[in-house]
Each structure stands twice: as structure tokens, then as C-alpha cells.
Amino acid sequence: MLNTTTDTPARSRAPWWFNLAGQLLEPWVRIRRDPAEPAALLQAGAPVCYVIERDGFSDALILERACREAGLPSPMQPLAGTRRRRSVFALARRDGWLFGRNRKRSPNEPLGQLVRSLEGDPERDIQIVPVSIYVGRAPTRESGWFSVLFSENWVMVGRFRRMLALLLNGRDTVVHFSTPVSLRAVMSESGEIRPERLTRKIARVLRTHFRRIRAAVIGPDLSHRRTVVDAVLNAEPVRAAINATAAKENISQAKAWRKAHDLVMEIAADYSHPVVRSASFLLSNFWNKLYDGIAMHHFDKARAAAPGHEVVYVPCHRSHTDYLLMSYQLHVSGVVVPHIAAGVNLNLPVIGPILRRGGAFFLRRSFKGNALYSVVFNEYVAQLIDRGVPMEYFIEGGRSRTGRLLAPRAGMLVMTVRAFLRAPRRPVLFQPVYIGYEKLMEGKSYIGELSGKPKEKESLLGLLRGLKVLRQRYGHVALSFGEPIELNPLLDAAASDWRQSTAHPDAKPEWLGRVVDDLAERIQININRAADVNPINLLALALLATPKHAMAENDLLAQLELMKALLEELPYSDRVTLTSMDPAGIIAYGEQMGWIRRVRHPLGDVLVTEDEQAVLLSYFRNNVLHLMATAAWVACCFLNNRRMSRASVLRLGRIIYPFIQGELFLPWDKDGFCKQLQATIDFFVRRGLLEATGDGRVLERGPGQDDAAYQLKIIARSLIQAFERYYITIAALVKNGPHTLTAAELENACTLTAQRLSLLNELSAPEFFDKALFRGFIQKLRESHIVWTDEAGKLDYDRALEDMVRDARVILAREVRHSILKITPGGDGDREVQLEPAKPIPADASSEALHERHVAAEHHAHAPEETKPVAETQGTKDLFKD
């Protein structure tokens, strides 16, 4: 009887010429088994029959060797209890002339033989083991150009091409053993079904299994672009749009169809596995010349969450290299390259076709006024979702010029959600990704655009001119995968009957907008929760908080140590990663990268960043500004106050939080933010930066020349410009009065005021006068019903706005407020915004109320020295004396 145990496999009974071919092939092939010990999958006592996806002599040789090395039964021995001479068969057969096979036999005939062999003996069973064989799935950089071209794909290649693939890529061969299937169990579950139908059913299930495995390893079969294009054009919404276009424009149906065809050809990707592999081969050399390393954080969690889902990657958008980095890293990590939504401005000669074959599909910046284009693009996205193709797009709509996350544009999210609602076959999973750089290729162009220069249009000539940036080194890059977001729970929370209410393809439920807005905000929050804090981020946070962007080395070392301790002891989230360098190593690395310069001095070296470098560094400070938000708020409360009650810090924090949250995409609600503030205050007390008195109810900082006060002010200044922007907006609105300005006029007045203030104070942060930040703050005021629009489109406001002006005195120095009011255009001239006098405090008032009066008196008693000219030769700490 045949030995079916996995401990001692039966000796192969293959003919001599088969064994000779195996010996000749052995030096060219190195096999990696998946799993490494497939024998553990088998059950003892039942014969084993292997099934492979495609018929081929080389596949049989590879399978026989893999089984021999793993201690499995040989596929070349007869299958016990049947008439089969071999324990292996293929689902797909190749026509050929070399070996005299009977081509009249169906590929399902081997399965039929196995089923019939078990019909007469209910005690017998056969284990069917699906085995997938891939030659050259992901050739390495050293493999060579031809190795890439002859790597595994979806095409059933001829014998000569397979031989070349083995010679070039044989040492990168993967043999995947799947879990065995009990044929007896399948027959029992199928009941009285006829053997022919059962055979076809098993074959169909096996083909589906092989397709899923191949799609997971090398990507979906989208090599035929024409099939997707035809599906789009034949879809009912597109046919209706074609008819509507023909009627509206008074053209023939054929001409309207050609317009739709041209549009979908403009949009559609032309995915090519050989091009992806070729690009991977080229990019490995490219990245090695540009970067010192590319890190992937939490990728194992992202990979584990993906099976069974339609995955949509939603990274932040920092640079044009984001596209390539994501695709390259996913490919070399063994994950399918997603289809990427790219702006049509990148559809350049030569470059466009390459990107298209790498999975890029192109969209116009605006769909307005082109109903046919909108319908065609929506249908194309729906086809990708329906086919289970992973996608990638940037919900910010464009690259961030400031380093902050931009307000999301929900267009692609709406299309994705509606496509899923139309055919909810596979649940959709949104995968946020944080991308962190240490230096940007586009840095100087970003500064120019923020300063008012027009954005340079992408062109092939411009690309060639920009090749000079490749001469530099750009440090390290990090791709950090945030917590994924499943769409189904959001839909269930919005409407329990969403499956029934969205069955019609044109359905637009009233809750759809809320779901998309919630989804967009969650994506941005989870991107920020996966931030990677690199040495350049920390240097930027410290140095840009000083007036001259210079610090004594000892002060900088202490500040870096404090910030690292803060991020380690009060983690923002479990996915934030922090550089392992110590403060001295961070400084040395900053010098090496050219971001900072050391000025030697007998009393101690000074580290300085030059003016242009300081502007560029603001980008990297803004990448991680959200991580310091709670600490910066607490520190801001002590910029102009020696002492303040803990309750006041928390109360004002609750007031200001919605605006900080909207700008920095913070993850907490108001109560969560207050808990974080409490933990931060306790941290500052432990570190000696604050002193708690009165049972911890009153907080006090040291004098201005104290080290602790100096460190607090460095932390505070990372966020102080946000509060200055808020004050500019409120002051402009109150100064002009209600029913005077439209939202657009207020936004323009704020931008001009910030630009002028930046010129007068030599601020090195271009985002200080970023119009989008003012627009976002005004929108938050409207959402909070503090500001609203009257019938004439002018802005009116609640008395709470004037309360916010008064509260600003706690944070902003008098000179800063007066400078803003003087510059801000408005009907009140140069005078301060008038407020009613504060009500007298009763004699039995609480200590907190008394403290508030003390704070107000302290503001009027003196002004902080940091607003005075700094022409005198002083140490960095002396600039912050009280």
C-alpha cells in the first residue's frame, strides 16, 4: 500500500529522463516554500494528490523537488486507489507539439477520476493540495533587467519563455502549499449532486482559489485595459449620459459615444506587470542615490487587516515622490501595487504613459460643467471597486506647501462610498499613511508659491530642468501606516438600513454627506496619529522658536531632551514613532544634513540655522506640530503670566480646542483634551518647569531668566502664531463691526494683515499668512455659531466673539495685540477693540475668580521683554526675561 505519511515520503517513480532533467535544472533553481514546513498541513492515512494551476514540465520538476525537500509524498508516484499514474494534475493545459498529450480530454477529467474512485468506497478519502508556483515574483536590484522582464505574470507563456524565466529568475522561486481539501468532505456536503456537476464545481472553486492567490502575490489581472473601458461604456449610467449629451449638444449617438470613449481612455490606467517590475528595478537604484534609507512602520498591521477588503490607501501628500515611494515599497513588500489617482497635469509626454502602465489613472482638477466626464469618471472608479482593485489617492487634493495636513476635499471619497453602496460586495478599508521626509526636493518652490509666486506648470522640460536636485542627498524617509478605517461601521452608525436605502444606483441619501465628512476627518486624524518624529522635526521645533533661530549648544541639548521625554512619557498614540538618536546625535545629524551651522565661541558654541533654511525648516516643524499641541497650550498660558490656576488653563483650553482641533486634526473631544492637559501639567511639574501650590490648584513658573521658564517659552512659541492668526481674524471682524464684511472679504483682510505683520517682524513661517488657514478658522467660527451670515451675505457675530478677544489677553502680549490692531484694516482706526468693563468681583469670590483678576492686572502692569528690540548682545535666554 502507498505510504501516505509525511515522515517518510515514498520514493519517486518518475522516468529516468524526468530525474535527469531535474538534476540539470537544480543549479538554476532555489525554492522557497510557503509555509516552510507544509508537511504539518497534511493528515496521515489519506493519499495526497497535488493540483497545480498550469500544466508545464518545469512546474512538475519544481513541485517534485519541493515535495522531496519538504518530506512530502512525491507527485510522480501513482495515486493509490485510482488508475492515475501520477499524484498531480493541472487545471489549465497548454497546447503543444513536443509531448504527445491527448488534447481531446477535458482538463476536469482528472477530478472526475478522483470523484468516481471514491464513490464505491465510503471509507476512503483523498487530500487535494493546491500548489501555486511563481518564478521571479519580485526580482531584486541585482537580478538584472531581463530578470524583470521575464518575471511571473498572468499570461500562460510558452516553453521557451518559461525556460528563460527559469534561467534568469529561477533562484527566486516560490512554491505556495495551500491547506489540503478533503475530497470526501466535499462530496458529503454536496449531497446527491451528479458527479459531473460536482467535478465542475470543484474545478471552479480551485480556479477561483488560484486566482486569489495569484492576485495577492502579483496583483489583479488588469493587463487588458480594453475590458475595463468596455465595461465603463456599457454601464447604464454612462449610456444614459451619452444619450443626454447627444440630445443636449445636438450630435449623433455615435459622436457622443466617441466623446465618452475618448474621456475614459484619457482617464483609465493601463496596468502592466512588466512595467511595474521594470520600474521597481530602476527605482531601487534611484532611491539609493537619493535617500539614506526608507523605513516602513506598522506595515505588518496594515497587511494583516487587508485580506477580504477592498483597500484604499489614503496617504498625506508632501511631494511628487509620494506616488513612487508608496508603490515601490508596497511592491517590494509583496503587496499589490494600487491604482493611483493622479492629476491630469502629470499626464506628460513619455512620463504619462509610464505612470499609466504603473497603475496611475488621471483626473481633471474640476468636473464642473462637464456632466459626461463626471459620469464616466464615477463609473470608472465604480469598476475598480467592483473588481477588487486596491486604490490610492490623496484626499488633500494637492501637495501641502506648509507641511500641515490640508483640509480634505471629499470628491474621491464620495465616489468611493457611492460605488460601494451601489454594489457592496467586498467591505472597503481605508488605510491612512503618514509620509515623513528629512528634506524635500520641492522645498524652494513651495516657499515661492507661499510668497505669492504662481505655481510652475508641470512640463517635460521643467522635469528635465529639475534633474539637478538629484545631485543632493535627502536623508531618510518614513512611511508609517495608521489605524485603518472600515466603511461598514460608519454606514451602520449613520443608517441601519443603508443596504436597502441605497439599492438604486442614483440614490443620494441625506446622511451620505455626514458619513463622508466623518470619514475624511478620521483619515486625517489617523494620519497624524501615525507620525514619525525624525531628528529634523525636533531641531525645527526648537530652533524656530527663538527670535534669531539660534541656540547655545547646551540649551539646545536640554530642549531636545525635554521634547523627547515629553513624547515618550505622554505618547500621542501607539503608532507614533520617535527617532532613537540622543540629543547630541540629533545635532550632529542636523549639521551633516546642512540644516544647521555651528558657530564656535570661547563661552560655548552656538547652533544656528540661516534665514532661507529657517523658512524651509518650518515645513518639518509643521509636520509634527500636532504632537506638541497640548504642551504648547499649557506653555502659552505662562508666556505672559507668572502664575495661573489649573482650572483657568483647562477652561480656556476647552474654549480654544475646537479651533486647534480643526487646524491640526487632533484626536480628542473636549474632555479628552482636558485629560491630556492635566497629564501635561503634571509632566511639567515633575520636570520642574511649573510649580504647583494650593493643593495643586495654582500653577507658577519661574522668572524669565530661569532655565525652566526658557524651556517653557520655546515650547509655547511653536503654537503662538496660530493664536495670533485667530486674534487677527477676530480683531478684523470686531473692528469692522457686524453686517460689514463678507467671509471672502474677511479672509482677504486677514491675509493682508498677516503678510504685513510677517514683513514687520521678519517671521520665518510662510504659513502664517496662508489663506487656507484663515478660511478654516472662519469656517469653524461659523460651525460653532459664533459667526453667521445675514441676508445680505455679510457676517454677524455673537457676543462670545468679544469674550474671545478678552481671553486673548491671557495668551498674547499687549504689544502683539496692539500691533495687530494697528495694522488690521477697519472702521475703528488704530484704537483698541472696545469691551465693556469687567464686573466687580464679590468679596466672597472663589480663589479662581480672584486669580483671574490678578491675571488681568498683571497684563496691564508690565509687558514682556521679548517684544523689545534685540540689537544688544545677549545670550539666548536673556531674550526671554520678564
Side-chain angles (χ1 to χ4, degrees):
M1 182 177 176
L2 177 67
N3 185 356
T4 60
T5 65
T6 58
D7 298 322
T8 310
R11 188 169 63 86
S12 170
R13 299 184 185 180
W16 65 269
W17 51 266
F18 185 91
N19 294 327
L20 176 62
Q23 293 174 11
L24 294 174
L25 185 65
E26 189 163 347
W28 300 93
V29 175
R30 182 167 56 200
I31 295 174
R32 178 169 65 84
R33 299 187 302 275
D34 181 23
E37 299 296 335
L41 301 174
L42 300 182
Q43 294 181 355
V48 175
C49 183
Y50 304 95
V51 54
I52 56 179
E53 185 179 10
R54 300 169 178 182
D55 193 15
F57 183 53
S58 62
D59 284 8
L61 293 172
I62 292 170
L63 176 62
E64 196 280 331
R65 178 180 160 189
C67 292
R68 175 163 36 89
E69 292 177 351
L72 296 175
S74 171
M76 302 308 294
Q77 64 190 6
L79 185 59
T82 71
R83 299 173 58 186
R84 292 195 59 77
R85 293 180 298 171
R86 301 285 181 258
S87 297
V88 61
F89 66 92
L91 281 182
R93 302 171 66 86
R94 181 195 297 112
D95 292 330
W97 49 268
L98 183 59
F99 302 101
R101 296 191 182 96
N102 182 5
R103 297 301 172 190
K104 296 181 181 179
R105 297 179 60 186
S106 166
N108 294 343
E109 179 58 27
L111 272 173
Q113 292 178 357
L114 301 184
V115 170
R116 288 190 293 272
S117 70
L118 297 185
E119 284 183 321
D121 188 352
E123 300 299 322
R124 289 186 65 250
D125 191 10
I126 296 176
Q127 300 180 76
I128 299 178
V129 181
V131 183
S132 305
I133 300 171
Y134 305 108
V135 177
R137 182 258 163 221
T140 62
R141 181 170 59 89
E142 292 79 12
S143 302
W145 181 263
F146 283 100
S147 300
V148 174
L149 293 180
F150 289 97
S151 56
E152 194 72 46
N153 56 49
W154 283 85
V155 180
M156 182 179 285
V157 297
R159 293 184 177 85
F160 178 71
R161 186 181 174 92
R162 189 64 166 177
M163 182 184 71
L164 289 179
L166 286 167
L167 294 178
L168 294 168
N169 293 324
R171 299 182 70 80
D172 183 28
T173 297
V174 177
V175 179
H176 178 84
F177 291 88
S178 298
T179 303
V181 177
S182 167
L183 186 57
R184 172 62 62 190
V186 173
M187 294 174 66
S188 300
E189 292 173 1
S190 301
E192 300 299 324
I193 188 173
R194 294 200 309 272
E196 295 79 8
R197 289 188 60 191
L198 178 61
T199 299
R200 291 196 298 271
K201 176 183 176 182
I202 296 173
R204 185 169 62 252
V205 171
L206 285 172
R207 281 192 292 270
T208 302
H209 169 79
F210 280 121
R211 286 186 65 84
R212 287 177 177 172
I213 295 295
R214 184 170 287 270
V217 173
I218 65 173
D221 184 11
L222 289 178
S223 53
H224 300 293
R225 181 190 187 193
R226 183 175 61 255
T227 61
V228 181
V229 171
D230 290 344
V232 170
L233 293 173
N234 290 328
E236 181 59 35
V238 175
R239 291 206 305 269
I242 290 173
N243 293 336
T245 300
K248 181 180 178 181
E249 299 182 10
N250 196 24
I251 57 178
S252 66
Q253 290 281 340
K255 190 171 182 179
W257 184 92
R258 284 196 297 273
K259 289 185 69 172
H261 180 268
D262 292 343
L263 290 176
V264 73
M265 293 299 288
E266 173 192 312
I267 294 166
D270 191 12
Y271 190 88
S272 166
H273 296 292
V275 169
V276 169
R277 285 163 176 74
S278 302
S280 173
F281 174 82
L282 293 174
L283 285 173
S284 60
N285 291 287
F286 181 71
W287 299 140
N288 287 334
K289 290 180 180 179
L290 282 183
Y291 299 114
D292 298 323
I294 303 173
M296 296 262 281
H297 301 304
H298 311 297
F299 176 68
D300 53 339
K301 298 176 184 176
R303 188 204 295 266
H309 292 86
E310 162 66 21
V311 180
V312 180
Y313 297 93
V314 276
C316 59
H317 202 5
R318 314 284 200 211
S319 167
H320 277 316
T321 55
D322 296 343
Y323 303 96
L324 302 176
L325 272 171
M326 276 287 295
S327 296
Y328 173 79
Q329 287 298 114
L330 291 174
H331 177 69
V332 299
S333 300
V335 175
V336 179
V337 174
H339 276 42
I340 306 170
V344 75
N345 56 313
L346 294 179
N347 191 16
L348 305 170
V350 181
I351 301 299
I354 295 175
L355 293 177
R356 199 183 290 277
R357 285 169 175 79
F361 61 96
F362 296 99
L363 72 157
R364 298 176 183 177
R365 290 298 181 188
S366 174
F367 295 4
K368 190 174 181 180
N370 195 334
L372 181 60
Y373 181 86
S374 178
V375 173
V376 166
F377 190 91
N378 274 275
E379 185 60 35
Y380 179 75
V381 171
Q383 288 293 328
L384 296 185
I385 296 288
D386 190 52
R387 293 162 185 256
V389 180
M391 289 198 298
E392 175 188 336
Y393 48 75
F394 305 96
I395 66 170
E396 295 169 275
R399 292 167 294 156
S400 171
R401 267 62 172 178
T402 65
R404 300 165 180 262
L405 287 182
L406 304 178
R409 298 182 180 179
M412 285 298 300
L413 288 178
V414 171
M415 293 181 214
T416 304
V417 172
R418 293 195 65 188
F420 171 73
L421 292 175
R422 195 177 82 177
R425 295 186 179 89
R426 301 180 70 193
V428 177
L429 184 83
F430 293 90
Q431 179 57 67
V433 185
Y434 174 94
I435 304 178
Y437 297 91
E438 294 178 347
K439 187 177 282 190
L440 279 176
M441 298 181 192
E442 300 100 327
K444 291 187 177 180
S445 68
Y446 285 176
I447 296 172
E449 290 176 33
L450 287 170
S451 300
K453 295 181 181 178
K455 176 180 177 290
E456 186 175 346
K457 188 177 180 181
E458 286 82 2
S459 65
L460 187 58
L461 183 60
L463 179 66
L464 295 174
R465 284 200 305 265
L467 291 178
K468 60 184 178 182
V469 301
L470 304 183
R471 301 171 189 167
Q472 302 180 40
R473 299 288 291 183
Y474 292 89
H476 294 80
V477 185
L479 275 69
S480 187
F481 290 78
E483 184 179 347
I485 302 164
E486 294 189 40
L487 179 58
N488 279 16
L490 296 182
L491 295 172
D492 292 336
S496 57
D497 63 340
W498 61 267
R499 288 177 176 83
Q500 291 75 33
S501 61
T502 58
H504 193 276
D506 294 328
K508 294 181 181 179
E510 53 87 19
W511 46 260
L512 181 61
R514 296 196 305 273
V515 168
V516 171
D517 290 343
D518 184 26
L519 174 61
E521 186 174 6
R522 286 172 185 249
I523 288 170
Q524 299 295 71
I525 287 173
N526 285 6
I527 289 174
N528 270 347
R529 294 181 67 192
D532 175 74
V533 186
N534 61 47
I536 310 307
N537 298 138
L538 293 175
L539 286 172
L541 282 168
L543 286 171
L544 295 185
T546 62
K548 291 191 174 182
H549 312 132
M551 292 181 75
E553 184 172 20
N554 289 338
D555 292 338
L556 183 55
L557 288 169
Q559 194 70 29
L560 292 171
E561 187 277 329
L562 173 65
M563 289 190 292
K564 284 198 68 176
L566 177 65
L567 293 172
E568 288 170 346
E569 292 186 34
L570 301 177
Y572 187 85
S573 83
D574 59 353
R575 298 205 182 208
V576 168
T577 50
L578 179 62
T579 176
S580 59
M581 290 185 184
D582 60 13
I586 291 172
I587 292 175
Y589 187 70
E591 292 182 84
Q592 175 191 330
M593 289 287 293
W595 282 116
I596 59 176
R597 178 174 59 88
R598 181 182 294 272
V599 179
R600 302 285 181 183
H601 194 275
L603 299 182
D605 292 354
V606 174
L607 283 308
V608 63
T609 181
E610 307 296 348
D611 291 343
E612 184 176 284
Q613 294 291 76
V615 177
L616 292 171
L617 270 181
S618 68
Y619 193 95
F620 302 97
R621 177 197 61 192
N622 294 340
N623 287 169
V624 296
L625 193 57
H626 60 283
L627 303 181
M628 305 297 292
T630 53
W633 169 252
V634 174
C636 278
C637 291
F638 295 91
L639 267 179
N640 305 297
N641 310 293
R642 282 288 300 277
R643 63 188 58 84
M644 193 170 184
S645 71
R646 184 188 292 253
S648 295
V649 175
L650 300 180
R651 180 183 66 82
L652 293 173
R654 294 178 74 90
I655 294 172
I656 200 70
Y657 179 67
F659 308 106
I660 306 175
Q661 196 276 337
E663 183 171 324
L664 299 179
F665 298 101
L666 303 181
W668 311 287
D669 57 16
K670 285 186 179 182
D671 291 336
F673 182 63
C674 285
K675 288 180 181 177
Q676 200 73 6
L677 289 178
Q678 292 274 29
T680 304
I681 291 170
D682 294 339
F683 171 83
F684 283 158
V685 171
R686 289 196 304 271
R687 297 283 300 201
L689 275 67
L690 292 175
E691 181 182 349
T693 59
D695 297 330
R697 291 180 301 171
V698 179
L699 305 169
E700 184 175 354
R701 66 162 171 85
Q705 67 272 18
D706 183 75
D707 284 346
Y710 174 70
Q711 290 184 321
L712 267 181
K713 296 192 181 196
I714 294 295
I715 292 175
R717 287 184 167 232
S718 63
L719 201 59
I720 195 65
Q721 289 179 357
F723 302 133
E724 291 176 358
R725 278 197 311 275
Y726 300 163
Y727 190 74
I728 288 172
T729 308
I730 295 170
L733 190 53
V734 174
K735 193 173 180 180
N736 283 276
H739 312 291
T740 305
L741 298 175
T742 65
E745 289 169 344
L746 176 61
E747 182 183 313
N748 189 55
C750 293
T751 304
L752 293 174
T753 302
Q755 284 177 341
R756 184 166 177 79
L757 197 64
S758 179
L759 290 171
L760 293 173
N761 293 284
E762 297 184 8
L763 297 178
S764 59
E767 81 277 1
F768 181 66
F769 47 83
D770 183 10
K771 186 174 287 190
L773 294 178
F774 286 108
R775 187 182 307 124
F777 179 63
I778 295 168
Q779 180 60 31
K780 275 293 178 183
L781 289 173
R782 297 172 75 168
E783 290 175 6
S784 303
H785 305 292
I786 297 173
V787 170
W788 60 88
T789 305
D790 64 17
E791 295 179 355
K794 305 292 185 180
L795 295 177
D796 194 2
Y797 53 84
D798 189 79
R799 181 58 186 271
L801 195 69
E802 295 185 351
D803 294 337
M804 294 176 69
V805 174
R806 184 172 58 246
D807 289 334
R809 296 183 177 191
V810 179
I811 306 301
L812 300 179
R814 184 189 302 170
E815 281 76 4
V816 174
R817 299 198 313 274
H818 285 189
S819 296
I820 290 173
L821 289 168
K822 185 174 182 178
I823 296 171
T824 303
D828 288 335
D830 295 341
R831 66 181 177 87
E832 171 82 85
V833 174
Q834 297 297 314
L835 297 172
E836 290 185 5
K839 295 180 180 179
I841 298 178
D844 59 347
S846 66
S847 59
E848 180 181 340
L850 290 170
H851 171 67
E852 292 293 343
R853 170 60 59 86
H854 171 76
V855 169
E858 201 175 52
H859 280 305
H860 290 279
H862 58 81
E865 289 231 355
E866 63 260 33
T867 58
K868 296 180 180 180
V870 293
E872 304 147 3
T873 56
Q874 306 172 6
T876 51
K877 281 186 288 190
D878 293 336
L879 297 174
F880 298 105
K881 283 184 179 178
D882 278 352

